[in-house]
């Protein structure tokens, strides 16, 4: 796991500081070493977190025998030994035991077809001096990050703020992207919040030719693109796929643990890891004293069943610290409040292990969210009298389901359904998929226009929303293109890599993706429950307490804290902010409401913190540039 970056060099002497600036920002992603090299006028930079082959023989950029193919690599190749053996039979000779080296030789052998052969998470750059091409590529799910500039001077990095700090992006804010942030509380791909920086999208490769032209090719389509199958999938088949994925992802030359919540996905990962004989330690964050938010009791059930060691950290962070940590770790505007908890857990876990497996991805592959099945009751909703729907919608203002009880969650969901009841299934889904900032919250951002954000996202992903045949598969494809790489995987990657911890997601392994693609909609959800295929597996492997427990997301008790322990500190921090975008007086007014519109407050605070981080990076670039003359 590493941080990577590169750029077209203009003046070797004057550009040396850019390499230093990139290295400084990316060092948190790779604390075990850094290196750089200029090849064919392109500066290549990498910081390394050593996980497979810890020796000094592993150095980046990594080259082939002829020294004419060069690789920067962030991620892990699972099952790399099998690929190594195949490549060795074709005459390739390896210099290290590192998994990334199969990419160098695989590129020589197969070119772009290599990526489809990989069971991996990765973001990489390949400089092929034979053809003069520079290739940027990202894994099929977008587990690992990669951004690039859109101007004449191509630059790329694992982190958008690194490009600003190195003077490779001017850091101008993209107001359309930020309005989409208000609609979703993350920036939907491929945008970043910056006008001249975009994401390399999952499952794609961006190729810059020797002549300077740039083309993008999609090497991995959505697994749900094909029509829905009808033949049921056996639970044993899903179990074997997840077992193999867990086994592959336990492979490391450093200690490995499991991030354990109260959900069935992470509990299944722990169960299968223990069955493999790995004896990993499980790590759980406890929200003691916060009722339904605390999943510790259920996590202990899974730990006992697996016979695993268990470490528990109690949630304990102040408002200012939480905001500062998010601003440091996240390079795009990000307001999924569970990032606060993930950051604290990652920091604790890193004391003992270097790699941690999680259960991320199960809901997106097997339709675990209530929004995936909302269209099934659309006809009933349309029968709801308009006065009833209007009254229900008015009653939801300000709370947004923040208190995380069964009643308030159901009420919030019903409110949003009522508001979307006249929409077609796609528009209804878009209304349910995000954490839309309320009108009061939007009023605090006079520079941005929030109207039209949903429509832009719908147009941008029109092809995705139209593919796959069934409504469910269309929605799952949309989640795999937006919510998974834009929110959940961003949350986990940035939180873990902020402390040099490698997060792995076995639920998104190739074998599991294949089974999910073959699973009929009827095995994914019913009217009342989702993720049926994984629930069936849970019934085979987990204690009854897990199979009977209702679904609850990994969430932070924002509203409770903003009305109590965080209240004074939040007012102080917001009152001192100097934002061009956000009116601090309007946010202070939101903090005085009861109940506090907590999701709005946190989204606006996160936006201000990111705005400040962009400004700081621009200032640092200016200072460095002046110092170099």
């Amino acid at each position: 796991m590493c941080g990577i970056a590169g750029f077209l060099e203009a003046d070797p002497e004057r550009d040396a500081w850019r390499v230093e600036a990139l290295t400084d920002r990316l060092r948190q992603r790779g604390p075990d070493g850094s290196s750089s090299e200029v090849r064919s006028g392109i500066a290549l930079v990498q910081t390394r977190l050593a996980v497979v082959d810890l020796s000094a023989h592993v150095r980046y950029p990594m080259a082939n025998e002829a020294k004419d193919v060069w690789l920067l690599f962030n991620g892990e190749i699972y099952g790399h030994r099998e690929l190594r053996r195949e490549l060795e039979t074709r005459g390739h000779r390896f210099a290290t035991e590192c998994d990334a080296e199969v990419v160098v030789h695989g590129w020589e052998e197969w070119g772009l077809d290599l990526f489809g052969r990989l069971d991996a998470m990765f973001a990489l750059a390949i400089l092929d001096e034979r053809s003069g091409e520079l290739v940027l590529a990202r894994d099929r799910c977008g587990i690992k990050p990669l951004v690039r500039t859109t101007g004449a001077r191509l630059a790329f990095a694992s982190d958008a703020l690194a490009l600003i700090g190195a003077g490779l992006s001017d850091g101008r804010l993209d107001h359309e992207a930020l309005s989409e942030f208000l609609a979703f509380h993350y920036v939907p791909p491929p945008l970043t919040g910056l006008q001249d920086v975009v994401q390399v999208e999952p499952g794609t490769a961006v190729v810059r030719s020797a002549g300077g032209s740039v083309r993008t090719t999609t090497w991995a389509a959505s697994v749900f693109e094909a029509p829905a199958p009808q033949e049921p999938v056996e639970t044993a088949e899903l179990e074997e796929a997840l077992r193999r994925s867990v086994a592959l992802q336990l492979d490391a030359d450093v200690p490995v643990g499991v991030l354990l919540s109260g959900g069935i996905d992470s509990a299944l990962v722990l169960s299968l890891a223990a069955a493999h004989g790995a004896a990993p330690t499980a790590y759980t964050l406890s929200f003691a004293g916060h009722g339904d938010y605390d999943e510790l009791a259920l996590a202990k059930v899974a730990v006992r069943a697996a016979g695993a060691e268990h470490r528990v950290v109690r949630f304990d962070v102040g408002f200012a610290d939480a905001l500062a940590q998010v601003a440091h770790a996240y390079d795009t505007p990000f307001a999924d409040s569970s990032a606060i908890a993930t950051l604290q857990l990652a920091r604790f876990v890193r004391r003992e292990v270097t790699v941690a497996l999680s259960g991320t991805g199960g809901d997106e592959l097997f339709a675990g969210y209530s929004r995936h099945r909302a269209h099934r009751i659309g006809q009933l909703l349309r029968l709801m009298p308009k006065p009833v729907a209007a009254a229900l919608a008015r009653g939801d203002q300000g709370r947004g389901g923040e208190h995380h009880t069964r009643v308030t969650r159901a009420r919030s969901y019903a409110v949003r359904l009522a508001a979307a009841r006249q929409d077609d299934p796609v528009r209804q889904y878009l209304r349910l998929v995000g954490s839309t900032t309320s009108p009061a919250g939007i009023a605090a951002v006079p520079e941005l226009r929030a109207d039209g954000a949903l429509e832009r996202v719908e147009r941008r992903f029109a092809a995705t929303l139209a593919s796959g045949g069934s409504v469910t598969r269309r929605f799952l494809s949309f989640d795999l293109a937006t919510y998974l790489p834009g929110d959940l995987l961003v949350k986990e990657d940035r939180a873990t890599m902020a402390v040099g911890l490698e997060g792995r997601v076995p639920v998104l392994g190739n074998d599991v993706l294949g089974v999910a693609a073959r699973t009929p909609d009827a095995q994914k959800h019913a009217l009342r429950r989702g993720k049926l295929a994984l629930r069936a597996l849970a019934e085979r492997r987990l204690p009854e307490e897990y199979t009977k427990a209702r679904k609850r997301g990994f969430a932070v008790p924002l509203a409770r804290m903003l009305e109590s322990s965080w209240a004074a500190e939040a007012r102080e921090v917001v009152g001192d902010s100097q934002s061009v975008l956000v009116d601090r007086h309007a946010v202070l007014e939101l903090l005085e409401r009861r109940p506090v519109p907590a999701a709005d407050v946190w989204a606006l605070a996160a936006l201000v913190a990111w705005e400040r981080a962009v400004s700081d990076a621009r200032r640092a670039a200016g200072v460095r540039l002046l110092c170099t003359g």
Side-chain angles (χ1 to χ4, degrees):
M1 193 69 67
C2 306
I4 66 171
F7 60 93
L8 299 181
E9 195 174 55
D11 183 327
E13 291 186 5
R14 289 180 60 84
D15 281 345
W17 71 272
R18 302 186 196 277
V19 171
E20 181 182 347
L22 290 167
T23 302
D24 286 348
R25 173 66 188 180
L26 296 174
R27 189 166 281 115
Q28 66 187 30
R29 298 188 64 90
D32 294 332
S34 62
S35 53
S36 63
E37 189 158 343
V38 177
R39 302 291 308 186
S40 302
I42 300 175
L44 302 171
V45 181
Q46 176 144 354
T47 61
R48 186 187 184 211
L49 174 65
V51 170
V52 176
D53 189 346
L54 311 185
S55 73
H57 297 298
V58 179
R59 187 181 183 279
Y60 294 94
M62 184 178 286
N64 62 347
E65 303 97 322
K67 307 294 184 185
D68 54 14
V69 174
W70 297 82
L71 170 72
L72 297 178
F73 185 79
N74 172 29
E76 296 293 341
I77 309 297
Y78 309 118
H80 61 95
R81 293 178 182 83
E82 295 175 11
L83 268 178
R84 174 189 291 259
R85 286 192 290 269
E86 181 179 356
L87 287 163
E88 285 175 336
T89 64
R90 293 171 178 258
H92 296 273
R93 296 294 174 260
F94 286 74
T96 75
E97 296 299 317
C98 183
D99 59 311
E101 194 174 354
V102 302
V103 177
V104 177
H105 300 293
W107 175 262
E108 291 182 280
E109 192 69 34
W110 300 301
L112 287 170
D113 290 339
L114 160 71
F115 303 134
R117 291 172 167 263
L118 302 178
D119 188 354
M121 58 177 185
F122 65 84
L124 59 79
I126 296 172
L127 176 60
D128 191 332
E129 292 184 316
R130 302 169 303 178
S131 63
E133 290 182 332
L134 175 66
V135 181
L136 309 177
R138 198 169 171 208
D139 64 70
R140 68 181 69 236
C141 292
I143 302 169
K144 305 315 299 175
L146 187 58
V147 298
R148 67 179 181 91
T149 54
T150 56
R153 185 181 192 180
L154 179 65
F156 62 90
S158 301
D159 182 293
L161 290 175
L163 295 176
I164 301 174
L168 298 165
S169 163
D170 59 22
R172 283 179 298 163
L173 305 186
D174 180 348
H175 283 199
E176 283 200 353
L178 297 182
S179 72
E180 292 179 13
F181 164 77
L182 292 179
F184 293 93
H185 289 183
Y186 68 92
V187 178
L191 307 183
T192 62
L194 302 173
Q195 290 187 22
D196 60 349
V197 179
V198 296
Q199 299 180 47
V200 175
E201 296 190 68
T204 68
V206 176
V207 183
R208 183 188 183 274
S209 71
S213 63
V214 176
R215 73 179 192 277
T216 299
T217 181
T218 299
W219 61 266
S222 168
V223 296
F224 300 117
E225 186 176 66
Q230 300 302 316
E231 291 295 320
V233 168
E234 296 293 331
T235 301
E237 184 180 356
L238 174 57
E239 182 174 24
E240 174 57 22
L242 187 55
R243 183 206 64 77
R244 175 171 165 76
S245 188
V246 169
L248 286 171
Q249 297 197 25
L250 285 167
D251 183 21
D253 295 333
V254 292
V256 180
V258 174
L259 306 182
L260 180 67
S261 69
I264 64 172
D265 303 333
S266 60
L268 283 170
V269 168
L270 177 64
S271 171
L272 289 163
H276 185 69
T281 300
Y283 297 88
T284 301
L285 187 76
S286 170
F287 290 102
H290 287 285
D292 271 3
Y293 285 91
D294 193 12
E295 299 181 296
L296 179 58
L298 203 53
K300 286 181 175 179
V301 173
V303 168
R304 285 196 299 271
E309 293 291 323
H310 196 198
R311 303 282 189 273
V312 180
V313 57
R314 180 170 178 170
F315 182 79
D316 181 21
V317 63
F319 180 85
D321 284 345
L323 199 59
Q325 290 169 20
V326 168
H328 174 72
Y330 291 81
D331 60 326
T332 61
F334 195 74
D336 182 334
S337 62
S338 59
I340 306 167
T342 308
L343 279 161
Q344 185 177 0
L345 181 61
R347 187 172 292 103
F348 180 84
V349 172
R350 185 61 178 91
R351 299 172 188 171
E352 299 185 357
V353 303
T354 309
V355 174
L357 277 57
S358 77
T360 300
D363 291 297
E364 291 69 33
L365 292 186
F366 294 95
Y369 300 121
S370 53
R371 64 177 183 259
H372 290 136
R373 56 190 185 274
H375 62 281
R376 300 183 65 168
I377 55 175
Q379 293 299 325
L380 295 177
L381 289 169
R382 292 186 180 94
L383 298 177
M384 183 185 295
K386 289 184 179 179
V388 174
L392 184 60
R394 284 194 302 271
D396 186 61
Q397 293 300 317
R399 187 173 296 272
E402 288 294 339
H403 283 273
H404 207 258
T405 66
R406 180 181 297 192
V407 173
T408 53
R409 284 200 313 275
R411 178 173 173 273
S412 175
Y413 179 60
V415 166
R416 289 187 288 161
L417 277 176
R421 76 195 220 287
Q422 298 296 339
D423 289 332
D424 63 27
V426 168
R427 184 57 55 85
Q428 180 190 68
Y429 185 77
L430 288 173
R431 286 180 179 271
L432 295 172
V433 76
S435 302
T436 306
T437 306
S438 75
I442 291 171
V445 196
E447 290 285 321
L448 302 182
R449 291 184 59 200
D451 59 307
L454 287 177
E455 290 75 12
R456 285 198 304 277
V457 172
E458 183 179 359
R459 287 194 299 271
R460 192 154 76 241
F461 293 96
T464 298
L465 287 165
S467 67
S470 74
V471 172
T472 296
R473 290 173 76 83
R474 290 159 62 191
F475 293 165
L476 292 175
S477 285
F478 181 80
D479 272 354
L480 261 61
T482 57
Y483 181 61
L484 187 65
D487 187 323
L488 296 186
L489 294 173
V490 168
K491 175 179 65 180
E492 186 166 317
D493 172 82
R494 306 308 192 275
T496 53
M497 293 307 293
V499 294
L501 175 69
E502 175 175 296
R504 296 183 179 179
V505 281
V507 178
L508 297 178
N510 282 2
D511 288 343
V512 185
L513 288 169
V515 173
R518 296 192 302 275
T519 301
D521 292 352
Q523 279 188 286
K524 287 195 165 78
H525 60 71
L527 191 60
R528 292 174 57 87
R529 302 199 88 179
K531 210 159 55 178
L532 298 180
L534 280 172
R535 290 185 183 279
L537 177 54
E539 290 176 358
R540 294 177 57 151
R541 296 206 60 92
L542 300 180
E544 189 178 35
E545 292 96 323
Y546 259 90
T547 59
K548 288 189 174 181
R550 68 183 186 278
K551 178 177 175 54
R552 35 183 178 172
F554 183 49
V556 173
L558 275 183
R560 295 179 180 183
M561 294 189 299
L562 284 170
E563 292 173 7
S564 56
S565 59
W566 278 10
E569 192 177 9
R571 285 193 293 270
E572 181 179 353
V573 170
V574 170
D576 289 342
S577 67
Q578 301 294 322
S579 171
V580 174
L581 289 174
V582 180
D583 180 351
R584 68 176 186 271
H585 300 294
V587 182
L588 286 170
E589 290 179 8
L590 294 177
L591 282 167
E592 297 304 317
R593 293 188 178 192
R594 290 295 179 271
V596 171
D600 286 359
V601 170
W602 181 253
L604 295 169
L607 181 58
V608 169
W610 176 79
E611 180 190 2
R612 184 167 56 248
V614 169
S615 178
D616 290 346
R618 293 178 67 180
R619 188 179 304 110
V623 170
R624 286 181 185 253
L625 187 57
L626 283 173
C627 290
T628 60

